[in-house]
Amino acid sequence: MGIVAGLDSSPDFTRIVVCDADTGSVLRQGYAPHPVESTEGGSRPSDVDPQAWLLSLGEAAGGGLLEGVQAIGVSAQQNALVPLDSRGATVRPALVGGDKRAQVAAADLIDALGGRQAWAEAVGCVPQAAQPVTKLRWLARSEPDNARRTALLLQAHDWLVWQLLGRPLRRTTDRGGASGTGYWSAATGAYRTDLVELALGHQAALPEVLGPSEAAGTTPEGLLISAGTGETMAAALGLGIGLGDAVVSLGASGSVMAVHPEALVDSTGMITSLADATGMHLPVVTTLNAVRTLRGAAELLGMPDLESLSELAMKSTPGSHGLVLLPYLEGERTPNLPHTAGTLAGLRRESMKPEHLARAAFEGMLCGLADALDVLRGRGVDVRRIFLLGAAAELPAVQAAAPALFGVQVVVPQPADYAAFGAARQAAWSLGVSQGTLDPRTPPAWQGAVAQVLEPGDELAVGQAVRQQYVSVREQTHPGAFRSQP
């Protein structure tokens, strides 16, 4: 079929992979950091000129990287709001990331619509500081002149696709990206323009939502540009996950998402109902405490890094000699305990050893994620296999405990830019559909990720006992935490 490319514009860099459209074999790659300066203290800025993404893209594509490419897919950071005026010029820099300035705006919006349940039923998620709908509310309250000038709303991948196509009159997005805005419902497949007005104070134009295999357009040179999508959805497409699969991501905070045939409306707001890039759905449950739990334990025990903490934990045994850590160090979102603290239970003389505390940190983190997984299972989501992502997934202590605690096969893919790979797979899909060689309902069958496969095996019963020990402590400390959600 030819050659396709996928580009991933993350918060920090652009990565491009060029692939064989039939097999997915990576032929060449490009990379460039975004020319964006960190704020004081080294954190990412909350405001970014979108031109930085274009400059990075141009540098990553240098040296003839895209020569012979017939189609491009675009993946980009989610929740980046690009407000444009009536002429298509940026009103202000893009609002990116989990913008803490918008936390009050999130609470305002929740109250304005009548609570968490009202939002969950309207669009499948409860407003958070990172979401575009919340950033609109912040804009209206903090920069009213800019809010009044805002006539069109795009996200990062929408804006990049629009630029690649030469800024046509037609602006597009995909259902994956739209599902994270807070003003599009994955359940109905439609915008809630009333929520845009509630947040911004007036209506604004919104991009057309394309189907998974539809093309956004073709450049004057004949290069097909696919619909594009958000990073999460592109990574899922790149990994090749399907029904029965879940992805557990180990960052400072954690997330569990699974493929499901329908949108889940969750009145507690614990489940965020996203759409994927194939026509299915991606219900997501997040925890506030994942790798930050391990880092805290490493500091407490004087360990220089997580590898040393893992090595220490492996000297203990499953169950950590009765030590149980509820890892709610930053409060917790799943269960909804925003003002609580962590708990260390089961202290006995024989358990008061560094290796047992190290093991309890790993088990506590994974049991917290297993709680999030059970939220999805409780709503009928089938989980037979888990993909474990993040640098911490490589740690021996994580790999030793995860299969038994999750109770299913665990797959640890080799580190790669799966979002860029997924964007390329989407480009191949759109190209094949346009040529009449692929079914618009089924993405091309590319080779899956190279991965380690870990089975629960004989450890399953032990793992479930450890999990029950954790649940007992959680219920004693926070009775009914999963039954009394607001």
Side-chain angles (χ1 to χ4, degrees), residues 72-74 157-158 160-165 168-174 208-219 223-229 426 430-431:
I72 292 180
V74 177
H157 100 258
D158 312 338
L160 284 166
V161 165
W162 186 53
Q163 297 294 323
L164 289 172
L165 289 171
L169 286 175
R170 182 193 191 211
R171 275 82 55 145
T172 62
T173 188
D174 88 306
E208 177 188 344
V209 181
L210 299 176
S213 62
E214 287 186 75
T218 305
T219 68
L223 185 65
L224 183 141
I225 309 294
S226 65
T229 195
Q426 186 194 64
S430 289
L431 182 64

Side-chain angles (χ1 to χ4, degrees), residues 7-8 74-76 78 174 176 228-240 257 276-277 282 417-426:
L7 73 87
D8 175 36
V74 177
S75 154
Q78 285 157 243
D174 88 306
T229 195
E231 272 190 319
T232 298
M233 300 79 191
L237 188 59
L239 283 165
M257 71 175 181
D276 81 346
L282 286 176
D417 197 324
Y418 292 106
F421 190 66
R425 190 177 177 208
Q426 186 194 64

Side-chain angles (χ1 to χ4, degrees), residues 293 313 316 319-320 323-326 344 355-365:
T293 305
S316 181
S320 311
L323 274 191
V324 175
L325 177 65
L326 300 184
L344 184 62
E355 60 265 32
H356 301 324
L357 178 55
R359 177 96 187 191
F362 282 95
E363 290 178 346
M365 174 188 76

Side-chain angles (χ1 to χ4, degrees), residues 253-410:
S253 54
S255 69
V256 179
M257 71 175 181
V259 180
H260 198 55
E262 59 190 30
L264 295 178
V265 175
D266 174 37
S267 61
T268 70
M270 276 195 293
I271 299 173
T272 297
S273 193
L274 299 177
D276 81 346
T278 72
M280 303 289 275
H281 294 268
L282 286 176
V284 181
V285 180
T286 58
T287 70
L288 294 181
N289 301 279
V291 175
R292 64 165 42 101
T293 305
L294 305 183
R295 296 204 184 283
E299 288 174 19
L300 182 64
L301 292 168
M303 294 288 106
D305 50 40
L306 296 187
E307 288 74 19
S308 302
L309 184 73
S310 171
E311 191 178 329
L312 181 63
M314 293 298 283
K315 294 176 181 175
S316 181
T317 53
S320 311
H321 271 244
L323 274 191
V324 175
L325 177 65
L326 300 184
Y328 305 154
L329 308 184
E330 296 280 329
E332 190 46 82
R333 187 175 166 196
T334 307
N336 189 45
L337 299 166
H339 307 300
T340 194
T343 301
L344 184 62
L347 282 168
R348 292 187 174 85
R349 178 65 192 89
E350 63 270 18
S351 65
M352 296 178 74
K353 293 183 178 178
E355 60 265 32
H356 301 324
L357 178 55
R359 177 96 187 191
F362 282 95
E363 290 178 346
M365 174 188 76
L366 292 169
C367 284
L369 288 159
D371 277 349
L373 192 62
D374 282 350
V375 171
L376 295 177
R377 284 173 164 151
R379 290 297 306 276
V381 177
D382 181 29
V383 178
R384 299 188 300 274
R385 180 173 64 163
I386 285 173
F387 286 77
L388 198 57
L389 303 185
E394 303 286 334
L395 296 172
V398 169
Q399 295 190 5
L405 292 176
F406 292 144
V408 293
Q409 183 187 84
V410 171

